[in-house]
Each structure stands twice: as C-alpha cells, then as structure tokens.
Amino acid sequence: MQNEQNNYSASNIQVLEGLEAVRKRPAMYIGDISEKGLHHLVNETVDNSIDEAMAGYCTHIEVTINEDNSITVEDNGRGIPVDEHEKLHKSALEVVMTVLHAGGKFDKGSYKVSGGLHGVGVSCVNALSTHMLSQVYRDGKIYQQEYERGIPLYPVKVVGDTDKRGTRQQFWPDGTIFTTTEYKYDIIARRMRELAFLNAGITITLTDLRPDEDGNVRKPEVFHAKEGLKEFVRYVDRHRTSIIGEPICLKTEKDGVPIEIALLYNSDYSENIHSYVNNINTIEGGTHLTGFRIALARTLKKYADEDDSLRKQIEKAKIEVAQDDFREGLTAIISVKVAEPQFEGQTKTKLGNSEVNGAVQKAVGEAMTNYLEEHPKEAKMICEKVILAAIARVAARKARESVQRKNVMSGGGLPGKLADCSNKDPKQCEIFLVEGDSAGGSAKQGRDRYTQAILPLRGKILNVEKVQWHRVFEAESVMNIIQSIGVRFGVDGEDDRQANIEKLRYDKIIIMTDADVDGSHIDTLIMTLFYRFMPKVIEDGHLYIATPPLYKCTYKKNSEYCYTEQQRQAFIDKYVAGDENAAALHTQRYKGLGEMNPEQLWETTMDPSSRLLKQVTIENAAEADEIFSMLMGDDVEPRREFIEKHATYANIDA
C-alpha cells in the first residue's frame, strides 16, 4: 500500500483538453445552472474523495456548508500530487485544478475505477466558482493554491507543517452563473447517505454551519454503513413488510467486474430496483440490470419447476410464469464497478458494456441457487408470490382487453368527461387533471380550447401502492387518465408492465388540485400512479403540478395574487404596514379551485405566460421510492412527520 501511494505522482496525471469553454457553456458540463447544477458542484468535489476511498486510501470525508454558503470538502486520502507535471512544467495540483479532464482517474495505474458521470472533475467546479481554495496535506507539509473563476492567484506554495494527509477544497459558487447559490441541506444529505451505503465502511460527516431563524445550528450528521447494500435495501424498504426477513446479499467479482447486490421481497406489488455503476445512479438501467433480471427469473423458475407442490400450483392455475412475474414485491440494489463504463440513453445513465450482462448473470445465478437451497421456507414464499403475480397478470390482461373492447364499441376510446383541445399536435398540447367537477367546469370555461384539455377527477383516485396490478385497470378514475393521455400497456407483444408513451397525446400533463392538505394528498396519489406505472412520463419531463394562489390581497387600488405566505407578508409590508391611516387588510383565502371564476383560474393558474408550474422529476430514484412507499403505506407516524415538515398549506386549514 505504501509503495502504491509513493508511486502516485505527477506522472500519473494525464491531460485531455483545456478548460476555456466551461464558463461560456456551463450547462454542457454540469447539466444546468439551476439548483441541480449548483449541487452537482458538491458531487464532483466529493467524487474525488470517493475515488480515493474506492482505491483503498480514504476512510473519512467531511462536507461542510459554511455560513457564507461556500462548501468545504476534506478527506484523509493520499492528497493530490504537488510535484511538477512533466509536460506542463507546473505543479500537478494546478493542472488538476485548472485543466478539464486532468486527473489520476485517467491513469489506470492510479484508479482501477472511478466515480463521476462526466469526468469533468474539480476543475469545472473551480471554473464556476468566484473563489476556490485548495489545500493538500502531503509529506508532512500543507500545500496551498487559490483561484478566482479558475485562474490561479499564485503558484502552489507551502503554508505550514502537518501530520495529516489528504485534500481540502473550499469553493464559493459564482452567482453570475447560477440562478441560485443557496445550498439545500436535504439534497446534499441524500447523496452523502447514498454514497455511504454504496461504499461500505466509509464515514461521511455533513455539517451545516448556517443558523436557522432562531439562531440554532443543525447538529452534524454522520453517514456510515458497515454492511453497505444490505443496509441500503433495508433503508429503501423500511416502510414495507418483508416476506423473507433478512436481505439476500452477494458480493463477488466475475470476469473482472466487482458486483454487489442486495435484494428483498415484500408484501407489496411494485418492483423497485436501483442500479449503480461506479456510484452513478443508472436510472435508465442497462446491461447490469438486464443480467440481474434474466438470472433471477431463470433461477426462481427452475426452482419452481423442480418443486412438486409449486409445479402443481402452476399447473392448476393454467398459467405460464413470465419474467415480469418475478418482479412483483421485489426491491433490489445493484452496484457494479466497471473500469471503462460506456454510457448511453437519453440522459447518459444507461450502461452499455455487454460484458457486464454475463458477469452479473453468473454472480446472481450462483448466489440465488445457493440461497434457495439453503432457505427452502423463504424460497417457497417467494415462488408462491411469483405465482400469484402471474395469475394477477392474466387477470390484468383480461381486464384491459375488456376495457379496450368497450372503447371500440362505444367509439373513440376517450372518456366522456374529457374536454379535449382542438389542436392535434401533441407537442403543442397539454392536459389538466383537475380535482372536482366544479373546478373542472371553471377550467373548461377559462382554458385555451386550442391547446388545453381538461379532465375532471371526482374525489381521490385509487392508491395504486396497495393494490395488485390488475385492480388498477378496474378503477374508473385511473383508466380515465390512462385513456385520455394515450398511454398503452402490453401492446404489440410488449412487456405488460411497461407503459408505452410513444402515442402520448399531450406534451404536458398538469395536476391541478386545491391548495390544501386534501389537494396535496391527491397530488401524491396521482404522482404515485405515474411513478409506479408510467415512470417514462416523469423521466421524459411530461408531468407537472399547477400552483394556484393561496391568497388574493387587496388594499385600496392595489391587488395581487399571492402564492406563498411570504408573498402575502411582502404585500402587507409594501402597501399596508407604512400607512398609519390603514383601516383594513383584506385577504381572500382560496381554499379551493372552485372559489375562483374561470377568468381568475386562467390568469393565476393556467395562462402559460404567467402561471407557475412545478415539474415532477426523479433526481434520486431510491429516495423517491422510499418517500412514495412511506406516504402511501400503512405506517401513520412517519407520514405525519413528513407532512408536518414539508407542509405548505397548513396555515389555511386551521
């Protein structure tokens, strides 16, 4: 280990290209310049420390949100090399910090695998920061260099002695680049928790030094998972009831690919698989996920075919068990390490390396065969759940075919409640899913009939989290949504459970509900439907939530719609507070959409030129999965705590 550390020097740092374009086109390098891109700076910096951890040199990473909203990341790894780079004749630290795609991860002798999706590294963080301070603890010395917008202020210099080793980075994001420079603790915490799960044994400490309104500072949070993915799958599934007790785990290497997997079967009906490559969340899956599914289905099917009682159940039900049936109630975390990953897909998060498929198949096949032989009771419970899923799949197909036949006979196939738009170009059209017939009526009158369609929803739709697959197709409210938007299931020999959105009839699907707790619940029910049954709608950016105003504030000749309590208070401060002769503050609270006439609904909530829409995205699939299962599950207490913490409308329901 010591020799390898000594061999990590400037000669290991390879230069691929310059840094000049980052500030001109930042979105090309970090995705966007909004909140997502801002937090990507933290991830890029932490990724360097994680690379040291994966290489076996780092055990502790400290991430700090400072009072001035700068970020500090410090690790106890080897420290970035500081000796002279042989080609550029400057310190390797300066090369790493100022040249795009320069780093040890491009030299296979330094890192076998490395994290980070685009590999733009800490130099990109430097370019997009007004100021950055780098310190390296190495060879008993503290080396330092500072930068402004990526430009060094002085050559690397020694500023002191130390018995520590590692790297410390502090940066101040550039407010002229980003639309916001305020870091969200919860977003950073989610990623740090995820990294701790994915890298068993590493300790990540997150500290927020910013005081709250009362002057209190949050306690540091420590993320550490001794058992890695075993703890991860328990965490994701903690609001569900497991049917096998302990997770099934494997950690091995096949064909040079390190593979780690943990899975559970629960009493619910959805499949929740989260896959990672070099700590990157591959939300579009890829060859590692394909290999896992093939091996799991093959192994369980073989076991069921060879067990007399299970085989008789299948024969009695007169069904053929399909690969889909092995997914019901399955929660799994898949993590592989690939030396040179090839990413593809729309968001570049789909693994394309063909060799990984076979490696994962071998690993899962061996591990599952051993587990099933050693745990006959659990094996039988899993297979019986699979058989029930197959029966439900057949019932779902019959239910769907029945609905389709009715549509053909009645003509058109669109729900009678749908008020469609006249434009037939999906890219120009949008549909509002509106809570209640009353609000639906106002929306129909106030809309732009050329591009906006309205589908009124009566009451709360089915909680799809708690029902079998085929029950969804029996629920009128759900089927009205599915038929209206043009999503199809199981057509042309496709996977029964994969929604086909090729014929999606609207570019925007907008959930529009009352600004109260019931409305928020309906939002969640509808989002759960899309997340579990039509995730591609969310992944491709088609799902939105409308933002109706909470208040209409009027004072003398001044009148404004206010969407938050802060806006209402700002209105008071601007027009009322300074008026000594003020007789009244008139505030109209909108408890429901039905309280607004068509014109008000249009100008506040539906007019594309002035409305506020929240786009539903899945930044962290495992976190989203855990939140949905908690919100829609049977456990009341965590749901209450979540709602109390995140409630926006509590003040108008008193």
Side-chain angles (χ1 to χ4, degrees), residues 497-561:
R497 299 197 175 207
Q498 295 298 309
N500 184 315
I501 69 167
E502 289 180 4
K503 295 190 176 181
L504 196 68
R505 303 180 66 243
Y506 309 97
D507 184 65
K508 289 185 176 66
I509 300 167
I510 304 168
I511 306 169
M512 189 162 75
T513 60
D514 291 345
D516 59 14
V517 172
D518 279 344
S520 296
H521 189 207
I522 294 171
D523 289 347
T524 308
L525 287 167
I526 297 174
M527 284 191 290
T528 304
L529 169 66
F530 280 96
Y531 180 68
R532 295 299 187 203
F533 284 74
M534 298 169 277
K536 191 72 173 166
V537 170
I538 300 177
E539 290 166 12
D540 288 2
H542 296 295
L543 189 62
Y544 297 81
I545 298 176
T547 309
L550 296 181
Y551 309 101
K552 184 176 184 181
C553 294
T554 305
Y555 182 69
K556 295 184 177 178
K557 294 182 180 180
N558 303 300
S559 182
E560 288 182 11
Y561 292 105

Side-chain angles (χ1 to χ4, degrees), residues 142-156:
I142 302 174
Y143 298 88
Q144 178 174 300
Q145 190 171 38
E146 291 179 80
Y147 319 85
E148 284 187 358
R149 296 178 172 84
I151 300 172
L153 297 181
Y154 49 79
V156 174

Side-chain angles (χ1 to χ4, degrees), residues 197 200-201 224-232 234 246 249 260:
F197 281 135
H224 178 87
K226 184 179 180 181
E227 297 178 295
L229 297 196
K230 187 176 184 180
E231 293 183 47
F232 198 174
R234 278 187 191 140
E246 285 295 298
C249 302
E260 190 175 357

Side-chain angles (χ1 to χ4, degrees), residues 82-136:
V82 293
D83 51 323
E84 184 177 291
H85 194 279
E86 60 182 13
K87 291 184 179 178
L88 299 182
H89 305 295
K90 59 179 70 172
S91 169
L93 172 61
E94 183 173 328
V95 174
V96 168
M97 296 301 298
T98 61
V99 180
L100 193 66
H101 296 309
K105 64 179 64 179
F106 299 107
D107 179 85
K108 295 308 172 190
S110 302
Y111 297 111
K112 289 185 178 179
V113 296
S114 62
L117 181 54
H118 303 296
V120 294
V122 75
S123 59
C124 188
V125 178
N126 194 8
L128 300 177
S129 300
T130 55
H131 189 80
M132 190 158 186
L133 168 65
S134 291
Q135 291 184 322
V136 173

Side-chain angles (χ1 to χ4, degrees), residues 581-649:
N581 301 317
L585 159 63
H586 177 65
T587 299
Q588 180 183 357
R589 292 180 172 181
Y590 291 118
K591 289 195 174 183
L593 298 170
E595 295 183 13
M596 285 184 276
N597 61 41
E599 292 75 19
Q600 290 175 322
L601 198 56
W602 163 256
E603 65 182 359
T604 62
T605 316
M606 300 177 68
D607 182 356
S609 67
S610 59
R611 70 190 180 192
L612 296 173
L613 290 183
K614 299 174 185 174
Q615 188 173 35
V616 180
T617 60
I618 305 174
E619 296 298 334
N620 184 311
E623 194 78 16
D625 171 32
E626 186 269 328
I627 289 172
F628 277 119
S629 64
M630 177 267 294
L631 288 174
M632 298 292 97
D634 297 324
D635 200 351
V636 175
E637 193 53 38
R639 178 164 61 240
R640 180 185 293 125
E641 291 176 3
F642 182 89
I643 290 172
E644 286 176 354
K645 181 179 179 183
H646 296 92
T648 307
Y649 310 121

Side-chain angles (χ1 to χ4, degrees), residues 257-286:
V257 179
I259 300 165
E260 190 175 357
I261 295 173
L263 66 93
L264 275 171
Y265 270 95
N266 57 62
S267 58
D268 285 4
Y269 307 105
S270 56
E271 175 200 48
N272 309 292
I273 299 183
H274 309 290
S275 61
Y276 297 84
V277 176
N278 304 352
N279 297 319
I280 301 160
N281 186 355
T282 44
I283 57 175
E284 292 183 272

